[in-house]
Amino acid sequence: MGKRIGILILSIIIISCSAKSSDSNKVDGNTKLETKIDDLVANMTIEEKIGQLTLRGTSSRVKGALPDSLKQAVREGKIGAFLNVMNLDYVNELQQIAVEESPKGIPLMFSRDVIHGFKTIFPIPLGLAASWDAETAKNSARVSAVEVSSVGVRWTFSPMLDIARDSRWGRIAESPGEDPFLASVLAKAYVQGYQGDSLNNHTSLAACAKHFIGYGAAIGGRDYNTAIISEPLLRNVYLPPFAAAVNAGAQTIMTSFNEVNGVPASGNTFILDTVLRDELKFDGFVVSDWESVTEMINHGYAADEKHAAELAVNAGLDMEMTSKSYEKYIKVLIEEGKISEDQINFLVKNILRVKFKLGLFETPYVPKNHNGDLYAEDHLNKAEDAAVKSSVLLKNNDILPLKRNVKVAVIGPLASKPHEQLGTWTFDGDETHTVTPIDAFKKSSVNYDFVEGLSYSRDNSTKNFNAAIAAAKASDVILFFGGEEAILSGEAHSRSNTNLPGAQEDLIKALAKTGKPIVLIIMAGRPISISNIINDVDAVLMAWHPGTMGGIAIEKIIFGDAEPGGRLPVTWPITAGQSPIFYNHKSTGRPPKAESFVQMDSIKVGAWQSSLGNTSHYLDIGYEPQFPFGYGLSYTTFEYSDLKLSQNTISNDETLTVSATITNMGNREGEEVVQFYIQDVVGSITRPVRELKGFERILLKSGASQEVTFKISAQDLKFVNNTMKYVVEPGLFNVWIASNASTGLKTSFNYK
């Protein structure tokens, strides 16, 4: 089946906007909406306008009785939105005050970090990206929206669309991975899932694409840090997922904590006004990240809170999260002529537009019959399916799947940790609903002996090693559940060393001496460096933090009732010292080659000084990752053959078809993620060695074959050059149909 491919960027946005404007009914509706907004703003006081720009709340949830001062502020129209008010009685009380007692009756928006589930928790976003499946991402967002809207939340701070190339960064766990094409596919799916078929449906959430922009490029993988990104790189790599989200109708955007080339995002006119508003035609509203407006003082960009408010307002930041510079200083800044009331009106209208679209003016309260279907069977089934599709089999020495009659030693700190299994950003997940691997083994009557060996992932004590070794000796197979606790990834949890923490490696090496085969199941928020123990284990399954139903998914995979469906959405480094590492890198003038690589230990003592292999590599670990982007094994094997091009040359108005035959060579049914890559061999600026341009997930029975076809046109070959023009240049292009970014069937064509 043919697939239309291409990066979702400015031309697509423009075409989409043109198509929308041709719909006369929609134009009429928009005109009426804008008239309502204009009339409302015209009658608002400056204090009421400032109130709409104000987002209040606490870091987790509002606790205790609602302060009278807070209720009075709502009564006076001085607050436009809340975050982390999770008590439905409080939500209703505040909303009633806003709608029935405030001067203009403008409803509040209630928001929450619902990142990969509300009550039913799905795999972390990096795990969902490993599914390479838009429907899985969409399902996770839809279930989240249905559940959390039952407590009055109509706005989520998700999806996170930061391209992440450094596994040291804690927030890689929330990211869609390293590739702009895959991230763009997921961006659209998340927005559609959160916002549903109609924004004014009581189960819809306003999506918030974050963090705009370049947060994943923070130096050294250190959170909140500087990002230095050339404008072509910004547009070719970091912008496309946000363009896709805007094109899909995302109602809000969140600015990032970082600066971009010297200018913090929350006061960056170029990215908020020029790129987001003018180029992408975004008509929703922009919210700051937590206190990121006043943090411009720490950056050295704003002199004080007043100056920070001036910079953010003039850059086009609509709503300030938690800090109070807008509340304190907008009125005086208008009086001083440093900002205009017209600009304030523009910001207020953007916020009101979203509130109208959500139907909050007509239906401000949660319907009494809406209970969210928390932990509904359908929700749990979708979460289980996501955990299966997200799990990546990285190594398998013919040990998996296990037969049901084997005796298993279950060892490791994460086999029965319901809280840790949920992962980062799960404020509302209830660990009592988590099904751990041990729970699943009990339910399916697995013959196992469970000895943790280590009580938590960072545990350095060896006191329980002997008990674990004894259990291993009495069993046929060892299942070692290792990785990271949930708190070790996420915001402000960057790591310089991404090995298994604590004494996990020591325990694995001790177990390896028993001679029993070891299956390593990793639960973590990032790729884990396993080079020290990769040769001590017979199989490696990356389960990420798999969520509520992760235990059942893992049990089914281990015993062959399900296929590990995931493929890596990031390059997996040998060691943290390789980071940042990503497949779509540039070639360099001396690209590494196997025949010229010189390993450090092979250098003679006292050797004459030379540049040895003369290529770009590390002396101690070489130049290849542990596992490449797109990699993942199955319980069967696939053969790629018969690569075909419909023609060898295309021009501007032509479409080229590339196809290959995929055959299941194994003895069981299996799924394969067929990937399509292109290389622009020579460009006016250097181009990546490969770029993902399409993929298709196929299911094949044993011995079956399927032809997979991709289509490409000039539009799909375009990139932003060093003059900021979106161009396709004549020349040679290489193409691959492949199972991952380091292999595949290769051919070439010319564009004229």
Side-chain angles (χ1 to χ4, degrees):
M1 179 179 180
K3 281 190 171 288
R4 185 70 185 153
I5 59 179
I7 285 184
L8 304 170
I9 200 165
L10 303 184
S11 62
I12 296 178
I13 300 298
I14 293 169
I15 291 169
S16 173
C17 291
S18 298
K20 290 176 184 176
S21 66
S22 66
D23 186 333
S24 59
N25 291 330
K26 194 161 188 175
V27 169
D28 291 342
N30 287 343
T31 300
K32 291 178 181 178
L33 174 59
E34 295 305 317
T35 299
K36 284 182 182 179
I37 295 170
D38 290 343
D39 291 345
L40 182 54
V41 172
N43 288 290
M44 293 173 69
T45 65
I46 187 60
E47 289 80 9
E48 290 164 352
K49 293 174 184 177
I50 295 170
Q52 289 304 301
L53 311 184
T54 301
L55 174 59
R56 287 283 170 266
T58 63
S59 61
S60 181
R61 64 175 67 221
V62 174
K63 298 176 181 177
L66 290 173
D68 289 338
S69 59
L70 186 68
K71 291 189 279 188
Q72 185 59 29
V74 174
R75 191 171 287 113
E76 294 173 2
K78 292 183 177 179
I79 298 176
F82 281 97
L83 75 163
N84 300 334
V85 180
M86 300 306 294
N87 182 315
L88 184 56
D89 291 337
Y90 290 173
V91 169
N92 286 335
E93 183 180 0
L94 291 169
Q95 192 70 286
Q96 183 177 9
I97 294 171
V99 171
E100 300 181 15
E101 300 180 36
S102 73
K104 302 300 182 297
I106 300 172
L108 298 163
M109 282 181 70
F110 292 90
S111 58
R112 184 69 162 169
D113 282 290
V114 184
I115 307 302
H116 53 110
F118 175 57
K119 291 299 183 181
T120 303
I121 305 299
F122 283 70
I124 59 171
L126 188 61
L128 290 171
S131 75
W132 287 58
D133 187 68
E135 193 65 22
T136 296
K138 184 178 179 180
N139 287 341
S140 74
R142 185 87 292 266
V143 169
S144 299
V146 169
E147 291 192 347
V148 78
S149 58
S150 68
V151 296
V153 171
R154 295 294 304 282
W155 178 24
T156 178
F157 301 129
S158 177
M160 197 261 244
L161 301 176
D162 298 303
I163 297 298
R165 294 173 157 186
D166 194 328
S167 57
R168 295 172 297 181
W169 188 43
R171 300 197 80 165
I172 194 173
E174 302 168 57
S175 84
E178 71 186 41
D179 181 74
F181 182 90
L182 177 59
S184 296
V185 171
L186 296 171
K188 178 181 177 181
Y190 282 128
V191 171
Q192 291 175 337
Y194 286 130
Q195 299 189 172
D197 296 329
S198 175
L199 269 171
N200 62 16
N201 185 288
H202 64 271
T203 67
S204 70
L205 304 182
C208 184
K210 66 181 189 184
H211 305 83
F212 200 68
I213 191 169
Y215 195 18
I219 289 176
R222 295 188 298 275
D223 221 340
Y224 314 115
N225 220 291
T226 302
I228 302 171
I229 309 171
S230 70
E231 191 172 341
L233 183 63
L234 183 81
R235 293 180 177 277
N236 288 320
V237 173
Y238 293 94
L239 184 59
F242 289 95
V246 171
N247 193 43
Q251 292 298 295
T252 70
I253 299 286
M254 182 185 291
T255 55
S256 54
F257 284 115
N258 57 282
E259 64 170 70
V260 180
N261 301 331
V263 182
S266 294
N268 195 313
T269 302
F270 170 69
I271 65 171
L272 296 183
D273 191 18
T274 302
V275 176
L276 185 59
R277 296 287 185 189
D278 292 348
E279 296 180 9
L280 298 188
K281 309 301 180 187
F282 176 66
D283 68 350
F285 72 81
V286 179
V287 63
S288 75
D289 208 334
W290 186 276
E291 296 187 348
S292 67
V293 172
T294 54
E295 285 178 6
M296 290 194 289
I297 301 168
N298 292 339
H299 278 288
Y301 189 67
D304 50 33
E305 287 192 8
K306 180 180 176 183
H307 188 206
E310 176 189 347
L311 291 167
V313 166
N314 286 329
L317 190 140
D318 302 281
M319 185 181 286
E320 182 181 18
M321 184 190 292
T322 68
S323 54
K324 299 182 178 181
S325 68
Y326 278 21
E327 178 182 323
K328 293 177 181 177
Y329 297 110
I330 280 179
K331 188 173 181 179
V332 68
L333 286 167
I334 292 173
E335 292 169 353
E336 293 176 356
K338 293 181 178 178
I339 61 176
S340 69
E341 190 162 359
D342 284 345
Q343 177 69 354
I344 299 302
N345 291 344
F346 172 73
L347 305 183
V348 173
K349 288 177 182 180
N350 292 333
I351 293 167
L352 293 177
R353 186 177 300 113
V354 174
K355 290 185 175 183
F356 272 110
K357 287 181 178 180
L358 284 171
L360 292 174
F361 281 87
E362 293 79 16
T363 312
Y365 305 111
V366 178
K368 291 184 178 180
N369 63 348
H370 178 35
N371 62 11
D373 295 328
L374 307 182
Y375 301 110
E377 183 178 2
D378 178 62
H379 296 184
L380 296 175
N381 288 340
K382 285 183 167 66
E384 179 188 327
D385 181 67
V388 170
K389 283 192 168 72
S390 298
S391 296
V392 186
L393 185 61
L394 298 172
K395 178 179 179 178
N396 189 18
N397 291 344
D398 295 325
I399 187 68
L400 292 178
L402 299 181
K403 290 182 170 57
R404 286 283 176 183
N405 61 354
V406 300
K407 175 69 181 297
V408 174
V410 180
I411 298 170
L414 291 171
S416 186
K417 290 295 192 296
H419 170 72
E420 310 304 348
Q421 186 174 307
L422 298 180
T424 184
W425 286 111
T426 51
F427 291 136
D428 304 294
D430 183 348
E431 67 177 54
T432 64
H433 285 266
T434 302
V435 184
T436 67
I438 288 296
D439 295 330
F441 291 164
K442 289 178 182 177
K443 186 175 181 180
S444 60
S445 300
V446 172
N447 183 11
Y448 73 93
D449 187 11
F450 175 39
V451 179
E452 277 189 324
L454 297 164
S455 60
Y456 61 102
S457 74
R458 291 166 289 155
D459 189 356
N460 280 298
S461 173
T462 62
K463 65 180 181 180
N464 294 318
F465 277 27
N466 287 339
I469 292 168
K473 288 179 177 178
S475 301
D476 300 313
V477 179
I478 301 165
L479 299 180
F480 188 95
F481 287 85
E484 300 175 319
E485 297 147 77
I487 195 62
L488 297 186
S489 62
E491 184 175 344
H493 293 99
S494 299
R495 294 181 60 197
S496 66
N497 180 336
T498 57
N499 291 1
L500 290 169
Q504 291 182 71
E505 289 187 358
D506 293 336
L507 180 52
I508 289 171
K509 286 190 174 294
L511 293 169
K513 292 178 182 178
T514 67
K516 298 300 175 72
I518 301 174
V519 177
L520 171 62
I521 301 98
I522 302 173
M523 293 188 193
R526 54 165 60 81
I528 296 295
S529 299
I530 55 175
S531 57
N532 292 337
I533 47 92
I534 187 72
N535 294 326
D536 297 306
V537 299
D538 298 271
V540 180
L541 179 70
M542 181 56 171
W544 315 99
H545 286 124
T548 301
M549 301 298 286
I552 292 178
I554 291 169
E555 189 272 340
K556 286 185 176 180
I557 290 171
I558 287 173
F559 290 97
D561 295 332
E563 191 91 2
R567 302 295 184 267
L568 290 178
V570 288
T571 302
W572 190 295
I574 296 173
T575 175
Q578 282 183 300
S579 297
I581 185 170
F582 44 95
Y583 86 94
N584 49 353
H585 58 82
K586 304 296 185 70
S587 179
T588 81
R590 294 184 177 183
K593 300 175 182 178
E595 58 269 24
S596 57
F597 169 62
V598 176
Q599 210 280 336
M600 183 171 67
D601 291 340
S602 67
I603 301 172
K604 294 180 180 179
V605 176
W608 175 70
Q609 182 64 47
S610 72
S611 54
L612 300 167
N614 300 305
T615 63
S616 178
H617 62 253
Y618 292 104
L619 285 175
D620 47 352
I621 57 172
Y623 55 90
E624 293 181 336
Q626 189 79 66
F627 305 107
F629 174 84
Y631 181 82
L633 301 174
S634 175
Y635 286 158
T636 186
T637 56
F638 298 95
E639 180 180 87
Y640 286 57
S641 64
D642 200 20
L643 182 65
K644 297 177 183 176
L645 278 177
S646 61
Q647 57 204 74
N648 294 321
T649 302
I650 62 169
S651 58
N652 188 52
D653 57 351
E654 294 179 308
T655 298
L656 180 146
T657 299
V658 188
S659 65
T661 298
I662 317 301
T663 303
N664 183 347
M665 304 297 290
N667 57 9
R668 60 179 285 163
E669 182 178 75
E671 278 191 303
E672 174 72 327
V673 179
V674 184
Q675 302 160 36
F676 182 54
Y677 296 90
I678 291 182
Q679 180 193 22
D680 186 350
V681 178
V682 177
S684 56
I685 60 173
T686 55
R687 308 291 295 123
V689 295
R690 285 196 193 195
E691 293 179 281
L692 183 70
K693 292 289 185 173
F695 60 88
E696 185 172 352
R697 181 181 281 275
I698 62 172
L699 177 66
L700 291 176
K701 293 184 180 300
S702 174
S705 297
Q706 180 176 329
E707 184 177 72
V708 177
T709 300
F710 299 95
K711 293 181 179 179
I712 191 163
S713 71
Q715 182 66 33
D716 307 310
L717 305 177
K718 288 185 175 180
F719 66 97
V720 176
N721 66 14
N722 58 349
T723 63
M724 301 313 111
K725 292 181 180 178
Y726 194 47
V727 300
V728 55
E729 297 175 343
L732 179 68
F733 290 82
N734 293 325
V735 296
W736 294 262
I737 292 182
S739 59
N740 61 68
S742 69
T743 187
L745 303 177
K746 178 183 177 182
T747 188
S748 304
F749 68 91
N750 280 282
Y751 175 81
K752 292 186 178 180

